[in-house]
Amino acid sequence: MPSPVPPVARALAAREIPHRVFAHAGPVDSLEQAAAERNQTPAQVVRSLLFRLDGETYVMVLVAGPAQVDWRALRRVLGVSRVTLATPEQVQTVTGYAIGAVAPFGLPQPLRVLVDSSLLGQSELSLGSGVRGTAVMIQLADLLRALGQTEIVELTKQGGK
């Protein structure tokens, strides 16, 4: 019996965005393991990070796997003085996905998405599929097209590339 199509793959298919689903053979314990099993480098693995601004306002940042977000740069881009990383419970509530399976597609409500420039040097990327243990493989150009009015920003510390 084939496994069901992950929600992110369904959302991309509905937009006619080329992609493929990759299923890991077992549990994934690290970024390096995920990249190796996908025949990628860690920089090709997209981390979809959810940040909370004031109240119930959230923003998602897409960043290359090993890169680290510069909090000062993030606050400057967002025009706020305070931002926190969303808790696992907030991530589940806001995105509908568990940490490790998050992506900017198939969300219950639209979110502002920032794409860090650390992703721009890659042709193929992988991101969460909405289901742990699977990923969506996608070309950078297709990811940007699927996002629409994409905000590309510089949020990562040097050396995180």
Side-chain angles (χ1 to χ4, degrees):
M1 173 186 221
S3 57
V5 177
V8 172
R10 282 196 308 272
L12 290 170
R15 296 178 186 188
E16 298 182 351
I17 301 295
H19 66 281
R20 61 187 168 81
V21 175
F22 178 88
H24 289 277
V28 177
D29 298 319
S30 70
L31 170 67
E32 293 75 17
Q33 177 193 355
E37 290 180 7
R38 297 172 193 171
N39 200 26
Q40 293 184 321
T41 66
Q44 290 176 279
V45 178
V46 177
R47 288 190 302 142
S48 302
L49 303 174
L50 188 68
F51 292 91
R52 183 178 179 187
L53 310 179
D54 57 3
E56 294 302 310
T57 304
Y58 294 87
V59 63
M60 185 178 290
V61 174
L62 305 184
V63 63
Q68 295 298 311
V69 172
D70 181 328
W71 289 76
R72 185 183 315 167
L74 179 60
R75 289 191 304 267
R76 184 176 20 82
V77 165
L78 295 172
V80 298
S81 59
R82 187 167 190 273
V83 62
T84 58
L85 195 57
T87 65
E89 295 78 19
Q90 290 167 334
V91 170
Q92 181 74 49
T93 299
V94 172
T95 69
Y97 305 136
I99 289 178
V102 178
F105 306 107
L107 303 172
Q109 299 293 322
L111 273 178
R112 181 177 179 188
V113 178
L114 304 176
V115 176
D116 183 68
S117 60
S118 62
L119 294 172
L120 300 183
Q122 306 299 328
S123 56
E124 181 188 65
L125 300 166
S126 60
L127 61 151
S129 70
V131 176
R132 294 213 35 139
T134 64
V136 170
M137 313 293 280
I138 190 168
Q139 295 296 310
L140 172 65
D142 292 324
L143 172 64
L144 296 176
R145 187 165 51 92
L147 289 169
Q149 295 294 329
T150 307
E151 293 179 78
I152 298 174
V153 294
E154 301 258 347
L155 295 177
T156 51
K157 298 177 182 179
Q158 295 304 340
K161 292 185 179 182

